[in-house]
Amino acid sequence: MTPSDQRRALLPREPRDERNRIVSRSDPTSHAEFDVRDGVVTSTKLLQGVYVDIGEARDAQLHVSHISSERISAEDFLKMFSVGDKIKVMVQRIAKSGLISVSTKSLEVNPGDMIKSPQLVYEKAEEGAAASRAKFEAQMQEKEALKNAPREIDPNLKVHEVHELRSGVVTSVRKFGVFVDIGDGSSPFTSVGMLHVSRISSEFISEEDLKTIFSLGDKIKVMIHYIDQYRKLVSLSTRSLEVNPGDMARDPQLVYEKAEEVAAAYRVAYQAAKEAKKKAARINS
């Protein structure tokens, strides 16, 4: 036995049942997910976030991604938190291991409030928490309704075809991609497709690139990549319209101008690959 093991053996140990009781999710005296808690900052780590004492057996983690809806710079982070600060957090998740994840992003009434005025967020914590709970409940109800909905194909989506080229209008720009209205106005149904960030270009597209390439109301061209007629989702692509990798990042307008030509070539190549695959399968059988 090493000297460190000997010292550890001499230390008083808390009974296992007591330790488990402290972090147990079923313990009625413990916290629950979506609870608002008062806490004290015990440490700050730039890449990991903030550790907060909320009166439990172990400190909770406020990860940097859960501080605000807007991006937190290193400078913002260092200004926002200091050891000993009294703050308010919402319990986000309680892992079976006892790790507690908390959030201040869920307490923001408006995106970015934590950057502009953390104190205001703490003062309006209950209001922000109530809005987050209501939003989560609505999402769960929508998810349950979708799960139990009859598996019927949406007839409106039959007007679209995979690899079809469509003109559209940008309706929303998010950090994960762009929503595009590709409806042609022939019916009251407005078809909004999702252009995920991974399908914008063959080269990496950052959040800043997204804001540079797309703005609300932009008229763009996209290729329909995939259609889920049961979930009513249309996945779009501009990556398939690039002549050279990275064209969307360098010159989106050039991509749109050559879209018809590139889309036609893409369809021919896709069909040829499909026929070759079928032929190979016949030979192997």
Side-chain angles (χ1 to χ4, degrees):
M1 183 181 287
T2 65
S4 61
D5 290 335
Q6 291 173 348
R7 288 194 297 273
R8 193 177 296 112
L10 293 172
L11 290 172
R13 297 190 67 187
E14 203 170 21
R16 180 176 294 275
D17 289 345
E18 180 62 17
R19 293 200 306 274
N20 289 343
R21 188 199 70 76
I22 290 173
V23 299
S24 172
R25 295 181 65 172
S26 60
D27 178 11
T29 64
S30 185
H31 47 256
E33 291 175 354
F34 304 113
D35 276 356
V36 175
R37 299 293 297 254
D38 292 305
V40 178
V41 175
T42 57
S43 69
T44 59
K45 297 182 179 181
L46 193 56
L47 296 178
Q48 297 179 23
V50 181
Y51 286 86
V52 186
D53 179 1
I54 59 172
E56 298 298 335
R58 59 193 294 183
D59 290 346
Q61 183 186 21
L62 172 57
H63 192 268
V64 65
S65 63
H66 286 131
I67 293 173
S68 177
S69 300
E70 294 191 357
R71 185 175 177 274
I72 301 288
S73 67
E75 186 180 358
D76 292 331
F77 180 83
L78 295 172
K79 286 180 181 178
M80 231 178 280
F81 302 103
S82 298
V83 173
D85 282 354
K86 293 181 180 180
I87 67 174
K88 284 183 183 282
V89 294
M90 175 185 274
V91 177
Q92 192 81 11
R93 181 173 176 270
I94 307 170
K96 291 180 180 179
S97 64
L99 177 65
I100 305 163
S101 298
V102 294
S103 170
T104 50
K105 178 168 74 174
S106 300
L107 300 178
E108 291 183 324
V109 176
N110 300 300
D113 278 352
M114 274 299 295
I115 300 173
K116 303 181 190 86
S117 177
Q119 199 57 44
L120 182 64
V121 174
Y122 306 147
E123 290 171 5
K124 294 189 175 184
E126 292 296 342
E127 180 185 342
S132 290
R133 292 187 198 105
K135 182 179 179 181
F136 177 80
E137 186 64 29
Q139 289 173 340
M140 290 299 99
Q141 290 175 355
E142 183 179 353
K143 185 176 180 181
E144 190 64 23
L146 183 61
K147 179 181 175 182
N148 297 325
R151 304 287 280 180
E152 295 178 354
I153 293 177
D154 187 336
N156 294 296
L157 293 180
K158 292 181 179 179
V159 300
H160 305 307
E161 293 182 8
V162 174
H163 302 153
E164 178 186 2
L165 182 68
R166 301 288 299 208
S167 296
V169 178
V170 174
T171 60
S172 178
V173 180
R174 310 291 289 275
K175 63 181 179 182
F176 52 80
V178 180
F179 288 95
V180 186
D181 182 357
I182 56 172
D184 58 8
S186 60
S187 73
F189 175 76
T190 301
S191 183
V192 177
M194 167 64 176
L195 174 58
H196 191 268
V197 65
S198 63
R199 301 212 164 271
I200 291 173
S201 177
S202 300
E203 294 189 357
F204 175 74
I205 297 294
S206 68
E207 193 173 342
E208 289 302 314
D209 292 332
L210 264 176
K211 294 176 182 177
T212 302
I213 298 171
F214 301 104
S215 298
L216 291 181
D218 280 356
K219 294 181 179 179
I220 68 174
K221 291 193 176 182
V222 292
M223 178 183 281
I224 294 178
H225 171 70
Y226 174 75
I227 301 172
D228 187 332
Q229 294 180 323
Y230 294 104
R231 296 177 64 198
K232 303 179 183 180
L233 297 176
V234 180
S235 175
L236 308 173
S237 172
T238 50
R239 185 174 74 183
S240 303
L241 300 177
E242 290 183 322
V243 175
N244 300 301
D247 278 351
M248 276 298 296
R250 290 186 290 270
D251 191 352
Q253 201 57 44
L254 181 64
V255 174
Y256 306 148
E257 289 173 4
K258 294 190 175 183
E260 295 283 354
E261 176 187 344
V262 177
Y266 184 95
R267 286 191 289 270
V268 170
Y270 177 84
Q271 193 61 35
K274 191 175 179 181
E275 291 300 325
K277 189 175 179 180
K278 285 182 180 178
K279 185 177 180 181
R282 285 196 298 269
I283 293 172
N284 293 331
S285 62

